[in-house]
Amino acid sequence: MFDAERIRRDFPILSTASHGKRFVYLDSAATSQKPKSVIDAIVDYYNTYNANINRGVYEISERATDAFIASKEKLAKFIGAHGIEETIYVRNATEALNLVALSWGERNIKSGDHILITEMEHHSNIVPWQMLAKRKGAVLDYVKLTHGMAYLDMEDLEAKLEKSPKLVSVTHVSNVLGTVNDVKRITKLAHECGATVLIDGAQSVPHMRVDVAAIGCDFMALSGHKMLAPTGIGALYGRRELLEAMEPVLGGGDMIRSVSMHGATWNDLPWKFEAGTSNIEGAIGLGAALDYLDGIGMDSVREHEQELTRYAMDRFSEINAVSVFGPPASDIENRSGVMAFAIKGVHPHDVATIFDREGIAIRAGHHCAMPLVTQLVTEKALSRMSFYIYNTKEDVDRVVDAVGVVKRIMRIKD
Ligand code: C6P
């Protein structure tokens, strides 16, 4: 049985108090907390084998190189990639998305070409395409949302695919609505129209079983810090043939095979895209994070979050002043553990501030998805809670109590 209380004890920060109360962390969509095993793996690296990788022939350098490569092997297996050649380590999902824009996009997008994204994207999957479209004179199209702005409008997607976009870039899970998009179907439709497909996996890979081969996508971006690993490590998955045809974006050490006074040739994948000294501690931390998640099992992670989401939606349905965005409770299958909500008559920043006093961390604001949030609410801001493996039903009960406190302080009647 899934034991979130036991898991919670693996996370040192969760045994600290906040404003004198049991700390309830509900902002894992922004960044997750880290278990002791991840923290220990990083400390062990610095204490016992800190050295640069792919360079030294001495013992600790070889050990560090092995640990770095083992991390990539674990990630490749975790997401269903063919091997480490298809896992490019970067700083975060943002950098992974930009890498596709700067390398693949630079070569493949021409004046007048269409790039198709959606209205539920995070800024990281909007701005790089705006910049590329501007540089190239390309057209940036958006798939509209439907059913109270909870789902992608698949008819609109199909209509826009008729313009034969060169690239379709879609988030797997919305960081605001919690909508889980049918990326397998989107990929199939997009491929039938000749598009290359990039999936933003920042909010899916940490929370459910994701298999890039089963989805069939060409690229996927992810961030380690949202899946128990430290900040500063993320990855771009890319199909080998595509990565091989792409030019590196950064030049420097490690990404070359040879350098002369007048030119250079590139190293093999994945190193061609990893110029300079890598984030070694980050990679080692990510390896430990993947071990931890594997130990639980991603299907169990997903089930647990769905149960919490169902419970939270149920409890929120008892409070008239609260409205929840995204797919309804009857469609938990297509919802993640991200839940944006509004309390009638109260600004989300006031909600988050009062929650904080109650020992509960949530996020409030535009969630780096302004084109979406400005359409959802006139305040241009929402409160958001997001679940992970260490959250419990007791946390949800605390949220419901905190909503009561908000209503009392702000004099809101149900
Ligand atoms: N969303 C949130 O609170 P980075 O910052 O590069 O690790 O991740 C960017 C990113 C890309 N796509 C999606 C769908 C995301 O949710 C995020 C990060 C955080 O919602 C921080 S803004």
Side-chain angles (χ1 to χ4, degrees):
M1 206 195 77
F2 198 96
D3 188 351
E5 277 298 343
R6 192 195 54 69
I7 289 173
R8 195 182 151 91
R9 288 197 289 276
D10 289 339
F11 290 75
I13 205 169
L14 298 178
S15 61
T16 61
S18 173
H19 295 285
K21 302 189 170 96
R22 179 190 197 255
F23 180 37
V24 175
Y25 185 73
L26 289 169
D27 198 18
S28 297
T31 197
S32 74
Q33 296 302 342
K34 322 301 172 198
K36 193 160 181 312
S37 60
V38 168
I39 299 166
D40 286 349
I42 297 164
V43 171
D44 182 46
Y45 162 65
Y46 282 119
N47 276 337
T48 68
Y49 63 106
N50 170 46
N52 212 327
I53 57 161
N54 291 340
R55 288 163 171 82
V57 289
Y58 49 91
E59 188 184 357
I60 58 168
S61 174
E62 284 177 355
R63 214 179 130 200
T65 304
D66 289 349
F68 191 88
I69 291 172
S71 162
K72 279 182 175 274
E73 282 166 348
K74 284 175 198 171
L75 181 69
K77 189 155 168 269
F78 195 79
I79 59 170
H82 287 112
I84 70 162
E85 299 78 10
E86 295 187 327
T87 59
I88 313 299
Y89 274 2
V90 290
R91 283 187 302 147
N92 45 39
T94 303
E95 191 171 306
L97 294 160
N98 276 275
L99 175 52
V100 178
L102 291 168
S103 176
W104 182 91
E106 206 54 40
R107 176 171 281 204
N108 291 285
I109 299 293
K110 310 257 173 337
S111 173
D113 283 348
H114 283 236
I115 299 166
L116 184 57
I117 60 173
T118 84
E119 289 186 355
M120 65 165 78
E121 300 309 317
H122 184 277
H123 297 164
S124 297
N125 198 26
I126 299 175
V127 183
W129 311 118
Q130 290 175 339
M131 293 161 79
L132 179 67
K134 200 167 169 196
R135 280 200 304 278
K136 298 288 184 168
V139 180
L140 185 58
D141 268 347
Y142 290 80
V143 177
K144 289 190 170 34
L145 306 190
T146 182
H147 290 84
M149 299 209 62
Y151 299 94
L152 288 182
D153 182 339
M154 293 301 282
E155 278 179 21
D156 192 49
L157 172 93
E158 292 196 38
K160 290 188 172 137
L161 283 176
E162 279 177 18
K163 293 179 188 158
S164 301
K166 282 275 168 61
L167 178 76
V168 174
S169 188
V170 179
T171 193
H172 194 170
V173 171
S174 160
N175 69 319
V176 177
L177 304 167
T179 314
V180 180
N181 291 318
D182 186 350
V183 285
K184 189 171 174 179
R185 179 162 169 232
I186 293 169
T187 300
K188 185 169 175 290
L189 292 169
H191 277 167
E192 280 166 9
C193 297
T196 295
V197 178
L198 166 56
I199 304 296
D200 176 355
Q203 298 291 355
S204 61
V205 178
H207 301 283
M208 58 189 69
R209 186 191 293 277
V210 172
D211 186 323
V212 289
I215 294 167
C217 58
D218 300 296
F219 297 106
M220 183 176 281
L222 63 98
S223 279
H225 71 92
K226 294 188 199 293
M227 49 193 295
L228 313 181
T231 45
I233 186 80
L236 173 69
Y237 155 79
R239 272 201 304 113
R240 193 182 178 139
E241 309 88 88
L242 287 175
L243 293 175
E244 260 163 7
M246 280 158 54
E247 284 293 301
V249 171
L250 298 177
D254 232 23
M255 53 74 70
I256 52 87
R257 183 182 306 277
S258 70
V259 181
S260 68
M261 298 273 268
H262 304 290
T265 58
W266 310 145
N267 201 345
D268 295 333
L269 292 172
W271 317 112
K272 176 171 95 171
F273 292 103
E274 298 186 21
T277 297
S278 298
N279 180 355
I280 303 165
E281 62 161 274
I284 289 167
L286 178 58
L290 295 171
D291 287 342
Y292 191 92
L293 288 171
D294 271 336
I296 298 173
M298 293 311 289
D299 291 339
S300 301
V301 171
R302 173 87 173 121
E303 258 170 54
H304 173 67
E305 290 179 17
Q306 282 181 314
E307 197 180 321
L308 286 180
T309 307
R310 201 175 288 118
Y311 183 66
M313 292 191 82
D314 206 40
R315 296 244 34 213
F316 269 176
S317 70
E318 298 159 6
I319 316 171
N320 287 330
V322 172
S323 43
V324 175
F325 296 81
S330 56
D331 191 22
I332 291 289
E333 274 316 303
N334 294 307
R335 256 205 100 102
S336 76
V338 166
M339 199 182 293
F341 63 95
I343 303 180
K344 196 174 59 193
V346 189
H347 195 279
H349 286 128
D350 291 332
V351 174
T353 305
I354 295 170
F355 270 46
D356 172 52
R357 297 297 131 75
E358 295 302 307
I360 304 170
I362 60 164
R363 186 174 171 191
H366 55 60
H367 306 288
C368 301
M370 287 174 89
L372 169 63
V373 173
T374 51
Q375 289 189 72
L376 287 174
V377 277
T378 44
E379 294 88 341
K380 301 184 169 111
L382 286 169
S383 305
R384 182 191 71 184
M385 57 183 187
S386 47
F387 300 122
Y388 211 6
I389 47 178
Y390 34 69
N391 292 117
T392 62
K393 286 189 177 163
E394 188 191 330
D395 294 349
V396 176
D397 293 338
R398 286 274 303 278
V399 166
V400 172
D401 292 346
V403 171
V405 176
V406 172
K407 282 170 57 188
R408 216 168 40 247
I409 293 175
M410 307 303 284
R411 297 176 194 281
I412 301 295
K413 298 228 161 26
D414 227 12

